[in-house]
Amino acid sequence: MSTTAGGPPVDRFLDRLADFDVTHTVVAPDGVSDAIADVADEPAVGVELPDGLGELPGFVATDPSPSDLEAAATGVTHADLGVADYGSLALPATADGVEPVSLYGDQHVAVVAADDVVPGMPEALSALGDRFRADGDSVVLATGPSATADMGALVQGAHGPKTVHAVVVER
Amino acid sequence: MSSKRRASKAEHLRRVLATEGDAVAENTQGFNQGRYDSVADLEDYEGLKEEAREIKEDAIERLPDLIENLREAVEANGGTLYLADDAEDANEYVREVVADVDGDRVVKSKSMTSEELELNEALAGDGVDVVETDLGEWVLQVADEAPSHIVAPAIHKSRESIAELFEERFDPDRELETAEDLTMFAREKLGEQIADADVGVTGANFVTADSGTVALVTSEGNARKTVTATDTHVAVAGVEKVIPSVEDLRPFVELIGRSGTGQDITSYLSLLTPPVGSPTLDFQTDEVGSPDDREFHLVLVDNGRMAMREDDDLRETLYCIRCSACSNSCANFQQVGGHAFGGETYSGGIATGWEAGVEGLDTAAEFNDLCTGCSRCVNACPVGIDIPWINTVVRDRANRSEHGGDLDWLVEGLTPDEEPAGVDLQKRLFGNFETLAKLGSAFAPLSNWVAGSSVAGAAMERVLGVDDRRDLPTFQRETLKSWAEGRPDVEDPDRAVVLFPDLYTNYMDVDRGKAAVRALEALGVDVTVADECASGRAPLSQGMVATAREKAERVADDLLPYVEAGKDVVVVEPSDHAIFQREYERLLDEDDHEAMAANSYEVFEYVYGLLENGASETSLAAGDGHEVAYHSHCQQRTLGVDTYTTAVLDRLGYDVATSDVECCGMAGSFGYKQEYYDVSIAVGEELADQFSTEETGDRQVVASGTSCLDQLDDLLDRPSTHPIELVAPEPHGRAE
């Protein structure tokens, strides 16, 4: 809604990520593994990336147990969509655990395809509405790190990640 | 209200002001400024608000059908929908769910509806350990205090007081000093509790009937953990949270954070179509399980809402999305917060509707008078609820539910109103200000001497609750109407107007009325002064709707023939201009309201129009760089007509600095009332401070509203005046 006019949505998306304190790298699929390795802290947990979004580096453990989740410094997942107007990442609730992996670590690294970035909320909700109605899917639209102002000042990192990094994949 | 009750109410307000006022003011004013900044970035803010409003209107209209659609969707997803009649019914259901899974611990994310139900207490009665995981709610749970704000519940607590609380309760092994220390300590503590929990309870900001999706607007991530870490999810929501489709979330998603805390969007918008598809997490056995083991219960709560849906005046309350914009934009709330301006569960302007509908009239009547009708929340509300009107109606109902008092005879002669016996004497006095003003003027100056005497002052305070620290208005023997009768006609006028001589202008601040007439005449306008001068604003603000309607009809009968004859209506007092525009819609039939609204102008709006259309500004007093500090009236700002005053002053060469407080705090009778005097002064001091800086301290003070002028006169050492007196020919009141 804000200012999607002109420019491709990815440019706006990258600007808005920065507004919400999310760092990013833009890479080709074969650069994803290195891009994750550059920012991820160990121990790291993750879920296998969907086809076309590259590979996880070897040190990222998949199928984490609850204690792995609690101990993780970094969680690596894909995001289904990016929403340019808000720098939001759509994190699906999947059986392999995108939701807990993206939630428990101090850092979340999200891998999203540039061509999955939509301009604004109307496009995002229209895409998600179809999925919710058809498959009963659940998605969290995450914008920036978790935050609270309940303790007398703004603090990033309340119950969720303290930092977020987006790896934007140009296919 | 007895003088004893007034005194105890005043004492309670003073205590809240002293202990919580600073923290509440800092936070709410920060949110409020954030709202202005954030909505300014939207391309079509007004369009989004209209869309949000239409979706809510439609959803409430079709609610029974939508609930049935939702039930089908939830059941198709593998969950259960329970429609609870009231709090007891809802609690009973949740208790059974918890008992069925042998739940020992329930973790909760923030939910006002569960506070309304007192769900925590019900579960604790069964021996269940209930833990709030929102950090603010948890602080309050530890401190055993109630929320003071619907979005930021611990807004009244400072960082220091939270640190003290944690030290005392938990004796932590490291010192907790910064907000980050406190947050990390709470995260750790709560993380352990969430890991061991059996059931997760959330609220719901919206529920979509087409898919059974629960939308949660949060920032901390506790709602995500509450759902993910537990196998059984219970979402508790009022029935009004149901909207037709996922796509309908759009305007709400873009408006709720901006309207509330001034965030473009909160960190997390959870769109859950439960049971969710994440694996279960068992922290004891350190194993993950199948998503198929998850269970979901949606508890939709009526608890008075379906009756509100049938109530033409309370229905709008159900459109509320609990964003807190009405709290943050309210000058009184900014000073006292929800512990004074709130009921059992809800706080701020819209709380009157919620508490009246959910708890009952008595609960709402306890705090409802803190709404002065300033209307600053009206534009802030993302779903366009007429919150002042809800407050007025509930006040009217509360008035009518009171029993007759022994002292009614005291004000009987002064109160020829349409109200039943039993209406509070103080309210009847202020509501019948027309009679008082007429008598005061007829017997001036004697009436002024009597009213100003210490004996009368003490009696007024004891019997009527009129605070003795306030100066009463000074009535003028010569009214504006009698002065104007002798005016010669303007020869060959360009336009003709009828000036509405509001009660203040006609009987007290007559000079500003004379200045208005002179200014208009100088611009080539023929001015007739109308007969009626009581708009109905005074009784309306006391909740005396029938009396206000009777006055509105008299005004329309008086003014509309002039309008039909081609004259425009010009109004000096902003609150009366506003009642013609806004509240007459509720008091008059549609045609009369439209005619009044379309043809009436605030005096500077009219002067601006004349200048734009070729009238010569040299007919008015030039500013020559004269420095003024201007405070516009709250209702004027809501209508967006304050800009005409600054535009005209600029154009005439005045150097204008403006205030940016939401309201002066006087608000008609509010600041005169003994029980609210301290709140009124606290609000007013913010304005006085803005006009006492190095930049503004030497400027001449001008303000458009009578109340604002009274308040500024009480709080500043220098006098204040209406801007029309500055610009009218033969200027009066210009500090040369």
Side-chain angles (χ1 to χ4, degrees):
Chain A
M1 184 76 245
S2 308
T3 46
T4 46
V10 174
D11 290 350
R12 165 104 175 128
F13 180 61
L14 299 180
D15 286 347
R16 291 298 273 166
L17 286 176
D19 289 345
F20 291 96
D21 299 321
V22 177
T23 52
H24 69 264
T25 37
V26 180
V27 293
D30 61 6
V32 167
S33 183
D34 286 348
I36 295 169
D38 281 348
V39 295
D41 296 319
E42 294 187 58
V45 296
V47 293
E48 291 296 351
L49 298 173
D51 288 347
L53 282 188
E55 301 288 331
L56 293 176
F59 66 87
V60 177
T62 52
D63 299 320
S65 68
S67 59
D68 293 336
L69 288 168
E70 284 189 313
T74 299
V76 186
T77 73
H78 65 278
D80 286 347
L81 290 174
V83 185
D85 271 346
Y86 290 90
S88 307
L89 296 157
L91 310 173
T94 58
D96 56 4
V98 167
E99 172 66 356
V101 168
S102 63
L103 180 60
Y104 274 82
D106 281 345
Q107 180 192 39
H108 174 217
V109 178
V111 184
V112 63
D115 51 25
D116 284 332
V117 174
V118 297
M121 283 298 169
E123 296 82 3
L125 290 167
S126 158
L128 294 174
D130 291 340
R131 283 174 49 184
F132 296 168
R133 284 182 290 266
D135 305 321
D137 283 356
S138 298
V139 162
V140 174
L141 286 178
T143 311
S146 79
T148 186
D150 284 345
M151 297 294 170
L154 183 70
V155 176
Q156 292 191 329
H159 289 275
K162 297 174 187 174
T163 58
V164 179
H165 182 87
V167 177
V168 180
V169 186
E170 289 192 322
R171 302 193 266 212
Chain B
M1 203 186 296
S2 68
S3 66
K4 210 170 149 190
R5 280 218 33 224
R6 279 188 220 293
S8 103
K9 195 161 211 170
E11 179 52 37
H12 171 61
L13 288 168
R14 265 197 298 277
R15 200 166 53 239
V16 173
L17 277 167
T19 54
E20 303 180 353
D22 289 348
V24 169
E26 192 190 330
N27 286 310
T28 50
Q29 287 169 5
F31 292 158
N32 196 39
Q33 188 55 49
R35 172 177 60 82
Y36 284 119
D37 296 342
S38 180
V39 301
D41 292 337
L42 286 169
E43 260 174 29
D44 189 14
Y45 173 47
E46 295 302 325
L48 276 181
K49 289 201 292 184
E50 276 166 34
E51 196 189 334
R53 167 85 185 192
E54 282 165 19
I55 290 167
K56 276 290 184 183
E57 278 184 7
D58 170 57
I60 297 302
E61 172 77 28
R62 296 197 282 136
L63 190 55
D65 290 343
L66 289 180
I67 291 172
E68 279 323 299
N69 297 347
L70 175 63
R71 183 190 296 282
E72 285 166 28
V74 168
E75 287 173 0
N77 294 331
T80 312
L81 186 153
Y82 184 74
L83 188 58
D85 289 338
D86 56 22
E88 201 187 332
D89 189 13
N91 289 342
E92 181 72 32
Y93 182 82
V94 180
R95 288 168 57 202
E96 274 171 31
V97 169
V98 175
D100 283 349
V101 298
D102 295 324
D104 298 322
R105 178 177 298 134
V106 170
V107 283
K108 283 181 67 203
S109 71
K110 188 175 163 343
S111 153
M112 292 304 292
T113 308
S114 72
E115 306 249 3
E116 173 191 322
L117 303 176
E118 298 185 0
L119 176 63
N120 292 12
E121 290 77 1
L123 288 169
D126 294 340
V128 176
D129 181 24
V130 183
V131 180
E132 294 285 354
T133 63
D134 173 88
L135 297 188
E137 287 285 352
W138 185 60
V139 165
L140 297 185
Q141 191 179 28
V142 171
D144 193 23
E145 289 179 25
S148 57
H149 188 273
I150 59 172
V151 171
I155 201 175
H156 60 286
K157 294 194 88 72
S158 64
R159 179 176 54 80
E160 292 80 3
S161 68
I162 297 169
E164 231 167 79
L165 175 74
F166 285 4
E167 290 289 339
E168 186 193 306
R169 287 303 167 86
F170 303 111
D171 193 20
D173 42 21
R174 58 180 191 274
E175 200 188 343
L176 305 176
E177 201 189 314
T178 64
E180 184 155 13
D181 294 341
L182 295 164
T183 301
M184 290 312 137
F185 177 79
R187 172 189 171 126
E188 228 169 86
K189 277 259 173 221
L190 286 167
E192 292 162 15
Q193 315 249 35
I194 295 170
D196 287 347
D198 306 294
V199 177
V201 173
T202 68
N205 292 88
F206 309 95
V207 186
T208 63
D210 60 341
S211 62
T213 302
V214 171
L216 291 168
V217 178
T218 69
S219 277
E220 293 182 358
N222 62 309
R224 294 177 66 187
K225 277 190 175 161
T226 296
V227 172
T228 305
T230 57
D231 296 357
T232 304
H233 174 196
V234 180
V236 178
V239 286
E240 83 285 1
K241 299 289 176 64
V242 182
I243 59 172
S245 73
V246 176
E247 285 77 358
D248 287 329
L249 286 165
R250 188 271 172 112
F252 303 108
V253 168
E254 300 213 43
L255 288 170
I256 192 166
R258 296 180 195 265
S259 301
T261 50
Q263 293 164 278
D264 293 357
I265 193 166
T266 59
S267 300
Y268 303 122
L269 171 68
S270 295
L271 300 170
L272 310 177
T273 313
V276 297
S278 300
T280 59
L281 305 173
D282 189 328
F283 289 86
Q284 269 87 46
T285 61
D286 201 24
E287 280 173 8
V288 296
S290 162
D292 296 340
D293 295 338
R294 290 183 175 274
E295 204 182 298
F296 173 63
H297 301 265
L298 174 60
V299 182
L300 284 187
V301 183
D302 177 346
N303 210 26
R305 288 166 175 78
M306 285 312 215
M308 291 166 79
R309 185 174 166 267
E310 303 293 326
D311 184 320
D312 285 342
D313 290 310
L314 290 187
R315 184 182 306 121
E316 269 198 313
T317 307
L318 299 172
Y319 306 159
C320 170
I321 60 170
R322 314 251 176 98
C323 70
S324 79
C326 59
S327 296
N328 305 330
S329 60
C330 171
N332 283 348
F333 190 94
Q334 288 178 359
Q335 296 301 322
V336 298
H339 287 163
F341 196 160
E344 292 289 326
T345 312
Y346 301 99
S347 55
I350 195 61
T352 291
W354 282 120
E355 296 285 341
V358 168
E359 299 287 340
L361 216 44
D362 289 355
T363 310
E366 278 294 311
F367 63 91
N368 155 267
D369 283 348
L370 280 162
C371 170
T372 63
C374 85
S375 78
R376 294 304 300 143
C377 53
V378 170
N379 297 347
C381 176
V383 283
I385 302 174
D386 193 346
I387 295 164
W389 180 253
I390 291 173
N391 278 277
T392 302
V393 169
V394 169
R395 194 168 302 148
D396 186 308
R397 293 180 188 178
N399 287 345
R400 286 164 192 277
S401 71
E402 298 269 329
H403 303 294
D406 298 339
L407 295 170
D408 274 346
W409 58 272
L410 251 176
V411 292
E412 204 60 56
L414 288 173
T415 57
D417 55 39
E418 304 286 312
E419 312 298 318
V423 175
D424 185 75
L425 292 185
Q426 184 195 57
K427 287 188 171 149
R428 289 189 88 172
L429 177 80
F430 286 120
N432 287 282
F433 192 65
E434 180 183 13
T435 316
L436 201 65
K438 276 183 183 160
L439 283 170
S441 170
F443 291 101
L446 179 67
S447 52
N448 295 323
W449 298 339
V450 172
S453 73
S454 58
V455 178
M460 296 266 285
E461 178 163 303
R462 189 163 44 79
V463 181
L464 300 167
V466 178
D467 201 287
D468 202 16
R469 286 165 290 189
R470 290 285 188 190
D471 292 330
L472 293 169
T474 306
F475 299 108
Q476 305 298 321
R477 189 71 182 249
E478 186 189 46
T479 65
L480 179 65
K481 270 190 287 190
S482 55
W483 173 81
E485 271 160 23
R487 295 287 285 179
D489 290 343
V490 173
E491 278 180 34
D492 195 19
D494 295 321
R495 298 191 73 87
V497 305
V498 55
L499 182 83
F500 177 71
D502 62 89
L503 289 171
Y504 305 106
T505 304
N506 194 50
Y507 294 110
M508 289 164 286
D509 296 331
V510 180
D511 282 347
R512 75 180 193 187
K514 293 178 184 173
V517 172
R518 280 199 310 271
L520 291 166
E521 287 179 350
L523 295 168
V525 177
D526 180 69
V527 183
T528 307
V529 176
D531 283 334
E532 289 297 335
C533 44
S535 68
R537 172 63 74 190
L540 195 72
S541 70
Q542 308 306 319
M544 294 159 62
V545 176
T547 307
R549 181 166 289 124
E550 189 263 333
K551 307 247 185 243
E553 283 163 359
R554 268 169 37 193
V555 168
D557 287 347
D558 184 27
L559 293 183
L560 289 180
Y562 290 108
V563 169
E564 276 154 33
K567 293 191 184 196
D568 302 313
V569 178
V570 173
V571 188
V572 179
E573 174 58 34
S575 62
D576 285 340
H577 173 253
I579 199 173
F580 292 176
Q581 301 293 322
R582 278 177 36 77
E583 287 89 348
Y584 273 17
E585 188 181 356
R586 316 270 188 173
L587 301 175
L588 296 176
D589 67 46
E590 200 181 330
D591 289 347
D592 283 359
H593 164 247
E594 273 175 17
M596 287 293 297
N599 295 289
S600 59
Y601 303 85
E602 191 268 341
V603 62
F604 269 88
E605 180 185 16
Y606 203 75
V607 167
Y608 178 84
L610 292 168
L611 295 176
E612 281 291 295
N613 284 290
S616 166
E617 54 201 46
T618 56
S619 313
L620 300 176
D624 296 330
H626 182 61
E627 294 189 333
V628 298
Y630 172 58
H631 172 67
S632 58
H633 184 272
C634 44
Q635 289 162 337
Q636 202 183 9
R637 290 181 62 200
T638 296
L639 293 170
V641 294
D642 56 316
T643 50
Y644 296 113
T645 305
T646 41
V648 169
L649 291 174
D650 278 345
R651 192 163 171 158
L652 294 176
Y654 291 84
D655 182 318
V656 187
T658 54
S659 66
D660 65 2
V661 295
E662 296 292 1
C663 179
C664 72
M666 187 59 127
S669 62
F670 182 78
Y672 284 98
K673 292 180 177 175
Q674 187 192 357
E675 60 273 37
Y676 301 119
Y677 175 82
D678 298 284
V679 178
S680 169
I681 293 293
V683 173
E685 273 169 357
E686 303 237 353
L687 170 59
D689 287 349
Q690 290 195 353
F691 284 176
S692 307
T693 64
E694 204 174 312
E695 154 64 14
T696 58
D698 293 326
R699 288 171 173 262
Q700 183 179 5
V701 177
V702 287
S704 299
T706 305
S707 292
C708 321
L709 291 162
D710 287 345
Q711 179 80 306
L712 285 161
D713 280 342
D714 276 4
L715 292 174
L716 292 174
D717 294 333
R718 55 201 204 277
S720 54
T721 188
H722 190 286
I724 199 70
E725 294 184 65
L726 232 58
V727 307
E730 307 162 56
H732 286 240
R734 165 107 178 252
E736 297 290 343

